[in-house]
Amino acid sequence: MKRPLLLFPAALLLAACSTLPAPPLPAPAPTPLPAPGSAPLADRTLDLGTALTLGTEAPFAGTSWRVEDTPAWLSVSPTSGTGALRVQVRANRALGTPTSADQARLTGQVKLSWQAGEQTGTAVWTVTADQYVLTGRVTDPAQAQGTDVGTALAEDTAPAEARSVIVKYRSPAAQTLALGRKVAAQDSTLASTRAALAEVTPQARRDLGGRRAELVTDDVAGTLAALRRDPNVEYAVPNAVLRVQSTPAPLEPSDEYAGLQWAYRLLGYRAVWRDMESGGYTRPVTVAVVDSGVRYDHPDLAGALLGPDNGALDVLNFVPADQKGAYDNGDGDGPDRDPSDPGTPARRGGSHGTHVSGIIAARWGQIAQFPGCTACSTSGVVGAAYKAPVKVLPIRAIDAQGNTEVSDVVNAVRYAAGLPVTLGSQTYRLDRPAEVINLSLGGEIPASQAAPLCEAVAEATAAGALVFAAAGNGYGTTPYYPAACEGAVAVGAVTLSGASAPLRASYSNRYPAVQLAAPGGVDLAGATYHNGGQLNGKPYADVILSTDWDYSKNQPTYMGQAGTSQATPQVSALAALLLSKGVTQGRDDTLARLTATATDLGGKGRDEAFGYGMVNAAAALGAPAVSDTLGLRLWDTRGLAYQPALDALGRFTAYLPDGTFRALAGRDRDGNGIYGETHEPGSEREAVLGPERTRADLGELTPTP
């Protein structure tokens, strides 16, 4: 069957090359006339070699002919006609090159049908095309050979418990008693010291100098309590056990579905969460989620959401059915302090706002069993915030049908930023403005109609808020608003590629306003399963799993969704963590930190598909290394990613389409499988491949700090 949509990239390639003079078609090889009784069109083989196009002819004296099917990477023009065939075959090798880049030649079949009077038939043309070749070698900074050298794995054992205490006395005489020595003169002030030592009966004693002594005991807690009651003691502490310092292990959450949340691994959160174990994330931060509202009764969001007493708000209007302009937003009333995402008799979908909120702040560990639902999970998923004091402020601006109006978003954004809004006859103002505002919403509207939105965003940014907005799921290049507003940070979506560099998700709009990208998942119409997870014994698609609500059963659930709506809260959560840890202090330096530490994808520097790149939580937050592996990242300026195999000496041979390629040898220290990011050692080189340069050797790539 003909698939014309798959030929569109070839048309793009033609347009991109239109400024260059078209090379003349090679003279077609003479084709003998078919022998008497043979088919008017015969099977044949065409070899493009390293060319992009090939012109060919075939005699035909029948009524008509038609191209019925082509492989995705080939196009034939024209696709039908009468008389002799004079066609041009064009290869778009990028559509046929596997992620492993291990096929030196592409082969495909073009199927043609023909009619000659009452006779009909088919012919198959087999088309081959050579790939272009990129070679190189990934090397370590230091190389050695030997049989008596190895690598010791870090032992994952619990620290030993203290076996003694260290006590410091206020006088040398008291220390002398503690060490079991005689004191020259009787001193009534030492009576308490004698009593404490008689109570603990140390098994061994050691002089640590400076009025300090180590006392070995089987009862560390009891010994500490007795010593601390002695007024002659300056301090008494456990003799803490210290350990050899090695690379800490990544922190893996144990929640039931956490293993399917691949986006956090891709962003380096396993290093970030390990970092949180040692404290440091102390500043409370509020993320306002302007959305469909939220389910406060979802147990995996208990404690993560700010309620009516802390500023939660529903901005949506309500007009009774018997009045002009009747409008029911789904909850049967107008603006109030309850932003719950309501159920309606006809509602069957999930809760968008609940899904977005869970990406930011879903609880870790055990959760309450939902009443009456024995099948509901008691641990569920995790959110990015983990131990950080990051809370979600729900602001309901999308109704139960999934719609919102510009005026509703204007009010919601202004309110979240701490500006007064009047809804009906009441004025609302948020006492503690949100520092981060998440807008997983938008539309393809003219800039003139978006003016009120952009003014609200400008007011919010002037008040110090960071406004992150979804770039849109339009599969094209049309700006979506409010993401395209000046002051908003438009967020595009990436998904897994099977290589060490992610891809732009097919639905994610690309345009100049896009500033950052984050995992949004794959379009389920062309689902991939690179994350490796399984659900109920079946591969789990590369989508974003989070908290949701089943309105048909009126109970909590978890759902995998994909879109720039899912990518945006990934960025909002990271911005909140930067503020919580104190890495940044306000809007401007937070945005600067996000862009400076992003993983560059696509063309070098900022581009319309990825902006400055995919956010990297580990790099932005300065998380400690949790891994140290060497590898190669290979991608082209269109954003396509490849993963050629490295042999035992680090050499690789990649069979690639035409294009400009970036190869980066580097180390992965945050355990996300991406080598040589901004905070990791790396070495990058570039090569252009095509008919004019069919092979390129990058030489040795040695990662350097």
Side-chain angles (χ1 to χ4, degrees):
M1 179 178 176
K2 187 69 175 174
R3 294 177 289 180
L5 288 177
L6 294 178
L7 300 180
F8 187 59
L12 287 177
L13 183 60
L14 280 169
C17 299
S18 61
T19 58
L20 299 176
L25 293 177
T31 305
L33 293 174
S38 65
L41 280 181
D43 295 349
R44 63 187 299 187
T45 298
L46 299 176
D47 184 7
L48 272 74
T50 58
L52 296 176
T53 62
L54 175 66
T56 187
E57 294 185 3
F60 177 67
T63 309
S64 62
W65 57 266
R66 178 180 299 276
V67 177
E68 298 292 348
D69 195 17
T70 63
W73 60 277
L74 283 176
S75 63
V76 179
S77 179
T79 58
S80 62
T82 58
L85 277 77
R86 293 181 178 87
V87 298
Q88 185 179 71
V89 180
R90 174 173 289 273
N92 184 353
R93 289 171 171 82
L95 296 180
T97 304
T99 301
S100 55
D102 58 354
Q103 291 186 16
R105 171 173 286 198
L106 301 180
T107 301
Q109 292 184 333
V110 176
K111 296 180 180 179
L112 303 98
S113 63
W114 53 264
Q115 182 174 357
E118 296 183 358
Q119 185 182 7
T120 61
T122 59
V124 175
W125 288 3
T126 300
V127 182
T128 61
D130 293 333
Q131 294 280 68
Y132 309 114
V133 183
L134 184 67
T135 58
R137 183 184 178 195
V138 177
T139 63
D140 267 321
Q143 301 179 42
Q145 293 182 342
T147 59
D148 57 349
V149 178
T151 301
L153 298 176
E155 295 184 7
D156 189 15
T157 56
E161 295 182 359
R163 297 179 294 107
S164 61
V165 302
I166 298 175
V167 56
K168 183 177 182 180
Y169 288 93
R170 300 184 186 279
S171 68
Q175 181 208 23
T176 300
L177 276 180
L179 293 173
R181 302 169 186 165
K182 292 183 178 180
V183 178
Q186 292 293 326
D187 186 341
S188 60
T189 62
L190 297 179
S192 60
T193 302
R194 290 190 176 93
L197 292 170
E199 182 179 345
V200 301
T201 314
Q203 298 169 348
R205 313 165 193 240
R206 188 158 59 123
D207 187 351
L208 298 180
R211 306 195 311 278
R212 292 180 296 267
E214 177 191 359
L215 307 180
V216 178
T217 174
D218 289 333
D219 183 9
V220 171
T223 299
L224 289 171
L227 293 174
R228 288 168 179 170
R229 290 193 296 268
D230 181 3
N232 293 323
V233 169
E234 184 173 324
Y235 65 72
V237 296
N239 186 16
V241 178
L242 307 180
R243 293 173 60 84
V244 172
Q245 296 303 296
S246 58
T247 301
L251 180 59
E252 298 280 4
S254 60
D255 297 52
E256 183 175 1
Y257 303 128
L260 302 177
Q261 295 181 280
W262 54 267
Y264 296 128
R265 295 195 300 275
L266 186 65
L267 298 183
Y269 267 102
R270 295 186 301 167
V272 171
W273 295 331
R274 176 61 68 194
D275 187 36
M276 287 186 190
E277 291 287 285
S278 58
Y281 296 75
T282 57
R283 180 183 169 197
V285 180
T286 298
V287 180
V289 173
V290 177
D291 215 289
S292 67
V294 72
R295 294 301 305 204
Y296 281 99
D297 44 355
H298 199 303
D300 223 348
L301 293 175
L305 307 172
L306 297 176
D309 294 340
N310 299 110
L313 186 66
D314 180 349
V315 305
L316 294 175
N317 195 18
F318 174 80
V319 180
D322 59 353
Q323 295 185 14
K324 186 177 180 180
Y327 168 65
D328 184 357
N329 64 62
D331 67 359
D333 57 37
D336 57 26
R337 287 290 184 184
D338 182 9
S340 295
D341 197 351
T344 64
R347 191 165 183 181
R348 291 293 180 267
S351 172
H352 191 267
T354 299
H355 198 272
V356 168
S357 298
I359 292 170
I360 299 168
R363 292 186 50 160
W364 281 50
Q366 291 297 112
I367 58 176
Q369 182 80 57
F370 190 76
C373 181
T374 57
C376 290
S377 176
T378 55
S379 60
V381 296
V382 300
Y386 185 31
K387 291 187 173 183
V390 172
K391 301 289 186 183
V392 168
L393 175 69
I395 302 177
R396 184 171 181 249
I398 300 176
D399 64 24
Q401 289 74 46
N403 300 316
T404 186
E405 296 178 336
V406 166
S407 58
D408 297 324
V409 180
V410 166
N411 282 327
V413 169
R414 295 186 77 255
Y415 174 75
L419 304 172
V421 297
T422 300
L423 306 172
S425 60
Q426 185 170 350
T427 298
Y428 297 85
R429 186 164 193 164
L430 188 59
D431 293 335
R432 185 169 177 239
E435 294 171 271
V436 180
I437 301 175
N438 188 94
L439 302 176
S440 290
L441 53 84
E444 184 181 342
I445 61 176
S448 58
Q449 294 180 22
L453 271 178
C454 294
E455 289 171 356
V457 169
E459 291 173 312
T461 57
L466 264 165
V467 181
F468 296 103
N473 304 336
Y475 295 84
T477 59
T478 302
Y480 272 39
Y481 289 92
C485 292
E486 185 176 354
V489 180
V491 179
V494 301
T495 188
L496 296 174
S497 67
S500 64
L503 298 172
R504 180 184 65 86
S506 60
Y507 53 78
S508 183
N509 282 16
R510 54 192 190 280
Y511 48 87
V514 173
Q515 292 196 57
L516 291 165
V522 68
D523 183 349
L524 282 174
T528 57
Y529 302 87
H530 299 304
N531 72 86
Q534 289 196 342
L535 179 63
N536 300 325
K538 296 181 179 180
Y540 189 72
D542 298 328
V543 291
I544 306 301
L545 182 63
S546 184
T547 48
D548 213 322
W549 194 261
D550 186 338
Y551 284 95
S552 63
K553 298 179 179 179
N554 195 32
Q555 66 187 33
T557 188
Y558 300 90
M559 194 65 63
Q561 297 188 30
T564 52
S565 282
Q566 281 61 49
T568 305
Q570 308 273 0
V571 183
S572 295
L574 178 52
L577 292 176
L578 284 168
L579 294 166
S580 180
K581 190 180 180 184
V583 176
T584 58
Q585 304 300 319
R587 179 191 183 278
D588 293 341
D589 61 332
T590 300
L591 182 56
R593 181 72 175 175
L594 289 170
T595 58
T597 57
T599 300
D600 191 18
L601 300 170
K604 198 171 185 65
R606 184 176 179 179
D607 58 59
E608 296 186 357
F610 304 99
Y612 292 99
M614 182 185 72
V615 292
N616 183 307
L621 291 163
V626 294
S627 64
D628 191 18
T629 56
L630 181 70
L632 175 72
R633 179 154 51 108
L634 177 63
W635 72 106
D636 70 5
T637 53
R638 293 166 291 195
L640 300 174
Y642 304 95
Q643 199 67 50
L646 302 179
D647 69 11
L649 297 178
R651 297 172 300 195
F652 65 89
T653 299
Y655 299 102
L656 300 166
D658 57 291
T660 301
F661 295 89
R662 300 172 61 188
L664 195 157
R667 307 202 76 88
D668 173 22
R669 290 184 172 169
D670 54 24
N672 68 344
I674 304 178
Y675 306 100
E677 295 175 279
T678 55
H679 62 310
E680 297 165 337
S683 175
E684 181 180 344
R685 290 182 190 159
E686 189 174 279
V688 179
L689 294 174
E692 296 181 356
R693 190 184 185 193
T694 61
R695 303 181 67 92
D697 182 50
L698 298 177
E700 291 194 354
L701 293 91
T702 303
T704 55

